[in-house]
Amino acid sequence: MCVLALVLDHRLGEPGRLHPVVGFGRWVTMVEKRLNTAPDEARRSLLGGALAMLLLTLPFVCLAIWVSVALDGWLLILAQAIALWLALSLHGLAEHGRAVVEPLHTGDIERAREQVSRIVSRQASALDERGVAAAATESMLENGADAVFASLFWFLVAGIPGLVMHRMVNTLDAMWGYRTPRFLYFGRAAARLDDVMGWVPARLTALTYTLLGDRKLAWWCWRNQAPLWDSPNAGPVMAAGAGALDVRLGGPSPYPDGIKQRPVLGGARDASPASVESAIRLVQHGVGLWLGVWLAVTTLVFVGVCG
């Protein structure tokens, strides 16, 4: 079913207007407006955020459990493949990255800024060519971990229910996980659960990047630079990815509320359109590595049981 999901992703890409994650995001916005009525009251806001998270996730997780139990045979395989296809976003990730690369190659910096603003939250209008390339490279590495490898991990570990739970919690964190007055307390439950669910996949992603790139530099960056990053999961992913590509990422970056000082990650080479393309290939080759390892493990288990 993993191979079938990848075939669907490659041939069909992301769904258009009917993408379930987009629809879920709209519902998230509606629920947040109704329940986040006292962002300045810590206890009330914390409880409201936890309640909102449960109201938004439990019905879909229960539906996913029912599908997994009620279906069998080819129907279950088809349902699993479709669920993984909708969550994986491998094709969409590459499309977003290459939409930034193309105008960079032609020198259209305004178009490149417009495209990168679709995938990062920093102030794109203040970025030069290197800044745009660095932002896109970082997005490929980090979203590769969140949308691709973590989705694969939770699908392989817990089937459709695990996949659905992770994608919803990750979406909630993306929408509520800001340290602003409105979401400081309300988004805390979703942010903490996303950290927990992402801990193992993030380190497996960092290991994947390390194995497929400049191993020595990636390992050094992971061990020495990742602890300096403010996110416990993004740190290993970004540091190992930057080292694997031997590209310099992180550093000061403009955001709508000002310049954010971030640790420098990776090697000495400036980010460029080539580093964005390399990051896309790193994620794609990583998926191939994961599927190869999974196939080898399942084959050994099957031979062991049958033997």
Side-chain angles (χ1 to χ4, degrees):
M1 72 285 297
C2 291
V3 174
L4 179 56
L6 289 172
V7 170
L8 290 173
D9 180 71
H10 177 72
R11 300 293 296 180
L12 302 179
E14 291 184 321
R17 297 179 181 179
L18 299 179
H19 198 300
V21 176
V22 176
F24 180 69
R26 295 195 183 101
W27 192 28
V28 168
T29 300
M30 293 173 55
V31 171
E32 185 269 331
K33 288 180 178 179
R34 290 182 176 274
L35 294 182
N36 191 13
T37 56
D40 296 331
E41 299 178 23
R43 180 179 175 84
R44 182 176 174 183
S45 188
L46 282 169
L47 291 174
L51 176 62
M53 182 178 67
L54 290 174
L55 289 174
L56 287 164
T57 59
L58 282 182
F60 292 103
V61 173
C62 290
L63 176 62
I65 293 173
W66 178 83
V67 168
S68 299
V69 172
L71 302 182
D72 57 13
W74 285 106
L75 284 178
L76 179 58
I77 291 175
L78 182 60
Q80 290 174 330
I82 291 174
L84 186 56
W85 162 52
L86 294 174
L88 203 56
S89 300
L90 182 61
H91 184 81
L93 183 73
E95 280 189 336
H96 287 304
R98 288 173 182 142
V100 178
V101 169
E102 290 175 5
L104 284 178
H105 277 311
T106 60
D108 189 349
I109 186 63
E110 292 302 324
R111 178 63 175 169
R113 287 168 176 161
E114 178 186 345
Q115 291 298 324
V116 84
S117 69
R118 300 172 183 267
I119 56 176
V120 299
S121 58
R122 66 200 69 179
Q123 189 176 355
S125 61
L127 297 173
D128 57 13
E129 182 177 339
R130 191 203 69 80
V132 169
T137 303
E138 292 177 16
S139 179
M140 298 301 100
L141 295 174
E142 187 169 7
N143 284 299
D146 289 341
V148 178
F149 293 112
S151 293
L152 272 175
F153 173 83
W154 281 106
F155 175 76
L156 294 174
V157 169
I160 299 177
L163 175 69
V164 168
M165 184 67 181
H166 168 262
R167 289 303 290 136
M168 289 191 298
V169 169
N170 187 248
T171 301
L172 291 177
D173 177 58
M175 298 180 70
W176 297 349
Y178 297 99
R179 295 177 182 176
T180 61
R182 183 167 185 84
F183 293 110
L184 181 61
Y185 300 109
F186 187 84
R188 188 166 296 180
R192 294 296 178 268
L193 184 55
D194 184 64
D195 285 343
V196 171
M197 296 192 73
W199 197 92
V200 173
R203 280 144 187 84
L204 290 176
T205 302
L207 178 61
T208 301
Y209 290 165
T210 300
L211 292 174
L212 294 175
D214 185 329
R215 296 185 184 92
K216 185 176 180 180
L217 181 57
W219 177 251
W220 186 92
C221 293
W222 182 357
R223 303 307 302 169
N224 293 278
Q225 296 175 339
L228 304 177
W229 206 253
D230 60 359
S231 169
N233 293 335
V237 168
M238 298 289 289
L245 299 175
D246 189 15
V247 63
R248 186 171 69 253
L249 301 176
S253 189
Y255 284 80
D257 56 351
I259 299 294
K260 184 177 180 181
Q261 299 294 334
R262 307 176 305 159
V264 174
L265 304 175
R269 294 193 299 180
D270 285 338
S272 65
S275 69
V276 183
E277 290 280 9
S278 295
I280 293 171
R281 288 194 297 271
L282 189 63
V283 174
Q284 293 173 336
H285 294 168
V287 171
L289 177 62
W290 277 43
L291 292 183
V293 170
W294 180 254
L295 179 62
V297 170
T298 52
T299 299
L300 289 174
V301 171
F302 178 79
V303 170
V305 170
C306 293

